[in-house]
């Protein structure tokens, strides 16, 4: 049985003081949930949020990282730095990183391997653009991205990962994939993983859906058999909305 995982990706939102007061409220509101709750603050707020989360079951994630431990890479953050702060997860290959910052399947794969070496759990994002969906290329795109990101991994490593299927056309647009469409792609990703890494890795790996998830559509999406949680953007910025999604995911 896969535990549901709801992660709030704050993107470039919230100062340190906003982030800390948000998690202080959130941890009280979701104290007894059976869902695994994750917050992904911007880098500046990771350490103070880690401190504020002490004693809580809410896990911490970074939104990106470099694959090297250290070096002359101005503006980058390494896995060692994230691990020391207390991050459990790291979001890798988000479509905004692919679109605006030149992320490729190859760099995502380097980052996935580096994260695993340091005991960080990658949340690997895949998903097609609107043009790709309209060209009936969704399956090809998510298969290529999944195979690329997970190249050279062992079945045991893949079993412990989280994958987030996020159709690019549904991110921040208010357009959500239908429950059936999201389920169909998540099931397809699981089939690709079964082909590459075997049935038991495919059954263990958690596959989220992301793209305009809100309290009102969470129940339908999260009740699909191959959807094991959500990667939430906009609706993770308000405690009430995020809590609503968590509650509606069970
Ligand atoms: O990482 C989160 C996704 O990009 C979804 O963002 P959204 O919920 O604002 O559409």
């Amino acid at each position: 049985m896969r535990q549901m995982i709801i992660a709030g990706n704050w993107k470039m939102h919230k100062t340190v003081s906003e982030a800390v007061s948000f998690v202080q409220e959130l941890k009280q509101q979701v104290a007894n949930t059976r869902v695994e709750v994750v917050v992904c603050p911007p880098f500046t707020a990771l350490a103070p949020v880690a401190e504020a989360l002490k004693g809580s079951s809410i896990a911490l994630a970074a939104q990106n990282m470099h694959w090297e431990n250290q070096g002359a890479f101005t503006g980058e953050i390494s896995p060692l730095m994230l691990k020391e702060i207390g991050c459990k997860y790291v979001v890798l290959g988000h479509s905004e990183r692919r679109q605006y910052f030149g992320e490729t399947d190859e760099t995502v794969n380097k980052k996935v391997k580096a994260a695993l070496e340091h005991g960080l759990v990658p949340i690997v994002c895949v998903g097609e653009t609107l043009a790709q969906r309209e060209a009936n290329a969704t399956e090809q795109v998510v298969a290529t991205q999944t195979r690329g990101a997970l190249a050279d991994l062992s079945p045991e490593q893949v079993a412990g990962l989280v994958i987030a299927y996020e159709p690019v056309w549904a991110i921040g647009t208010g357009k959500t994939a239908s429950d059936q469409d999201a389920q169909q792609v998540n099931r397809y990703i699981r089939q690709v993983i079964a082909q590459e890494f075997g049935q038991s890795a495919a059954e263990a790996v958690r596959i989220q859906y992301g793209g305009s998830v809100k309290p009102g559509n969470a129940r339908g999406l999260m009740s699909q058999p191959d959807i094991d949680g959500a990667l939430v953007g906009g609706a993770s910025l308000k405690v009430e909305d995020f809590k609503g999604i968590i509650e509606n995911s069970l």
Side-chain angles (χ1 to χ4, degrees), residues 9 11 94 96 166 170-173 210-213 231-235:
N9 176 12
K11 307 189 179 181
H94 191 282
E96 288 150 16
E166 297 205 309
I171 295 176
T173 58
S212 298
V213 177
L231 184 57
V232 186

Side-chain angles (χ1 to χ4, degrees), residues 56-85:
S56 136
S57 61
I58 298 173
L60 188 65
Q63 299 176 16
N64 179 36
M65 65 166 213
H66 198 278
W67 56 85
E68 295 287 352
N69 287 348
Q70 66 266 311
F73 301 105
T74 301
E76 292 291 322
I77 298 285
S78 87
L80 282 178
M81 297 168 186
L82 299 181
K83 192 64 188 168
E84 186 188 59
I85 285 176

